[in-house]
Amino acid sequence: MKKIVVTGGAGFIGSAFIRHQLKTYPEIHVVNFDKLTYAGNLDNVKECDLGRYTFVQGDIADRGAIQSAMEGCDAIVNFAADTHVDRSIMGATDFISTNCTGVYNICEAARELKTQRVLLVSTDEVYGSIREGSFKETDPPQPRNPYSASKAGGELIALAHFETFGTPIVITRGSNTYGPYQYPEKVMPLFITNLIDGEQVPLYQGGEHNVRDWLWVYDHASGIDTALRKGELGQIYNVAGGNERENIVLTHKLLSGCGRDESFIRLVKDRPGHDFRYSIDASKLRGLGWTPTMDWDQGVSETVDWYKNNEWWWRKIKSGEFLEYYRKQYEER
Ligand code: NAD
Ligand code: DAU
C-alpha cells in the first residue's frame, strides 16, 4: 500500500495509527481527513509533518468531500466517529450522521473509485454487555446505548455493501483503549488530570464493579494494521487488550499513580443503561499474527506519566468546550 486515507486521524486512536504507519512503512503516504470536531486536535499529529503526510479538513457525512480525498488511494481506514457514550445519551444526532451516514458515504465512494480496502474501526460495545465468557465475531450485535447502536448501524451498512456490491470491507472491534492524547472526557484521562489538579474523580455509583478490558493504544493500532493488511474481506476481527479490570480497581490504581487517597473519589449518579461488562475473544486476529505487547501496570504508569509531563496538551482542552460539557454531565444531572 502506497497511499492510505485515514479519517478521524486527529483524534486519539487515529493519530496513534498515523504515527504507527509512518514509522513502520517508510514508503507510505498518509492523508488525514478530519472534521476537527471538539475531539479532533492538530496537536495530536504535530510530529507527523514528514513530507509523507497531508491533512485535509472535511466531514465524512459530505459525500463529495470524502470522495475527492479518497481519489487515488489504495485503502481507507475509518476512525472518524462521535465516540463518547455519555454525550450520545445527551443527544445522538451527530452520532447517526457520522457513524452511519458517514460510513455509507465511504462505502459508496470506495465502490465508485474501486478502492482496494476499506477498514472500519468499530468497537466491542456493539455486542452489548456480557456477564460471563467473551463474545466472538459470530455473536450478534446487541448494542445498548445510542453510541454503540450508531456504530452497529455503520457496521451493518458496510457489511451489506460488501454482500451487495463486493465493496472490500474489513471491520475491527476494539476494546477500551488507553494511552497518550486521549480526550479527557474518557475515564482514564479524566481521572488522571483531575487528580493531578487535586480534584475528586466522578466514579459512577452502582458502576464501581463494572468491567472494561483495557487495550494499549499502539497495540490497538497494530491490531488494525494487521486486519488491514491480512484480514479477509467481509470479515470482522475483535481486538482485545486482555486486561479486564473493575472500575474501582482502575480508580485505585490511578489514585496511587497520582499520589492521592480514597477521599478523592466522589460517587456520582450512574450512567443510564450502563453496560456492566465488555469482553471479547481476539483469537481470530491472533491467528493472523497479532499480539498485544503492553503490560497493564507499565501501560497505566506510562499513561499517568504522559499526562503529568504534557500539561501543555490537556490544559488547553480542559479550559475550553470541555468545561460546559463537564458542568452538564456531572453537576446539572
Ligand atoms: P476520538 O473521539 O478521540 O476522535 C474522533 C475523531 O473523529 C476526531 O478527530 C474528530 O474530529 C473526527 N470526526 C468526528 N466526526 C467526523 C466527521 N463527521 N468527519 C470527519 N472526522 C470526524 O475517537 P477515538 O477514541 O480515537 O476513536 C476512534 C475510533 O475508534 C472510533 O471509530 C471509535 O468508535 C473506535 N473505538 C474507540 C475505542 C476507545 O476506547 N476510544 C475503542 C474501540 C473502538
Ligand atoms: O469499549 C470500547 C469503547 O470504550 C469505545 O467504543 C468508546 O468510544 C469509548 O468511549 C469507551 O466507552 P466506555 O463507555 O467504556 O468508556 P468511558 O471512558 O466513558 O467509561 C469507562 C468506564 O468508566 C465505564 O464503566 C463508565 C465509567 N466512568 C466513566 C466516566 C467518564 C465513570 O465511572 N466515571 C466517569 O466520569
Side-chain angles (χ1 to χ4, degrees):
M1 281 175 206
K2 288 210 173 100
K3 180 178 170 188
I4 63 170
V5 172
V6 172
T7 53
F12 167 48
I13 311 172
S15 63
F17 181 78
I18 293 175
R19 288 190 289 280
H20 170 275
Q21 291 294 297
L22 292 171
K23 196 170 151 201
T24 313
Y25 304 105
E27 303 298 319
I28 207 161
H29 187 101
V30 178
V31 177
N32 178 7
F33 180 94
D34 197 298
K35 184 178 173 184
L36 296 182
T37 66
Y38 77 90
N41 182 351
L42 291 177
D43 283 345
N44 298 0
V45 282
K46 258 189 172 165
E47 305 159 29
C48 294
D49 198 6
L50 302 174
R52 292 187 288 126
Y53 165 81
T54 315
F55 178 74
V56 177
Q57 186 165 7
D59 184 345
I60 60 169
D62 174 345
R63 166 76 196 277
I66 184 58
Q67 183 157 329
S68 68
M70 286 168 63
E71 292 268 356
C73 76
D74 302 308
I76 176 161
V77 184
N78 180 50
F79 292 87
D82 272 290
T83 62
H84 192 40
V85 173
D86 294 315
R87 291 195 195 239
S88 79
I89 293 168
M90 291 170 169
T93 307
D94 289 347
F95 288 74
I96 309 296
S97 167
T98 296
N99 303 358
C100 298
T101 306
V103 169
Y104 174 67
N105 285 341
I106 288 172
C107 293
E108 285 287 278
R111 174 157 79 114
E112 178 109 4
L113 297 169
K114 302 193 175 10
T115 308
Q116 286 165 33
R117 278 202 168 218
V118 178
L119 186 303
L120 289 185
V121 179
S122 191
T123 167
D124 62 359
E125 287 202 20
V126 298
Y127 292 112
S129 185
I130 187 167
R131 285 266 158 187
E132 282 173 15
S134 302
F135 287 117
K136 281 179 146 347
E137 291 84 350
T138 43
D139 289 314
Q142 288 190 297
R144 301 182 62 255
N145 62 59
Y147 159 69
S148 52
S150 69
K151 291 294 289 185
E155 284 194 12
L156 294 177
I157 290 163
L159 289 170
H161 226 272
F162 167 75
E163 296 294 344
T164 311
F165 304 111
T167 311
I169 304 293
V170 179
I171 293 175
T172 56
R173 291 177 177 159
S175 63
N176 278 67
T177 305
Y178 73 105
Y181 298 105
Q182 185 169 29
Y183 194 87
E185 65 193 351
K186 307 285 166 40
V187 72
M188 271 228 211
L190 176 65
F191 283 17
I192 295 168
T193 56
N194 276 15
L195 292 170
I196 292 172
D197 275 346
E199 285 173 26
Q200 289 180 309
V201 298
L203 181 62
Y204 294 157
Q205 184 161 28
E208 299 96 316
H209 299 290
N210 289 20
V211 174
R212 296 294 183 266
D213 175 13
W214 293 99
L215 171 64
W216 176 242
V217 65
Y218 294 104
D219 283 334
H220 196 165
S222 71
I224 292 164
D225 184 54
T226 303
L228 172 69
R229 285 158 198 277
K230 298 187 186 164
E232 203 181 310
L233 300 185
Q235 292 293 308
I236 297 166
Y237 295 89
N238 289 340
V239 192
N243 298 299
E244 291 188 28
R245 296 292 185 280
E246 292 185 8
N247 288 336
I248 188 71
V249 172
L250 169 68
T251 304
H252 278 124
K253 179 122 191 107
L254 300 178
L255 287 171
S256 114
C258 295
R260 307 284 182 191
D261 62 27
E262 281 205 4
S263 68
F264 282 83
I265 298 178
R266 179 166 64 99
L267 292 175
V268 299
K269 195 172 166 197
D270 202 2
R271 172 185 286 174
H274 193 172
D275 282 339
F276 176 69
R277 174 172 172 259
Y278 299 139
S279 182
I280 49 175
D281 176 339
S283 46
K284 187 172 171 186
L285 187 64
R286 284 176 179 268
L288 298 183
W290 174 79
T291 180
T293 57
M294 181 55 94
D295 167 77
W296 158 256
D297 287 312
Q298 191 187 335
V300 175
S301 115
E302 283 189 21
T303 303
V304 169
D305 286 348
W306 190 86
Y307 287 93
K308 283 183 182 165
N309 295 328
N310 290 280
E311 294 194 10
W312 69 272
W313 182 83
W314 57 265
R315 283 214 182 278
K316 278 191 254 182
I317 298 173
K318 276 195 121 176
S319 58
E321 176 273 352
F322 179 84
L323 282 179
E324 199 193 331
Y325 161 75
Y326 194 81
R327 213 169 17 246
K328 271 202 200 120
Q329 170 64 12
Y330 297 101
E331 283 154 29
E332 290 174 15
R333 254 179 24 182

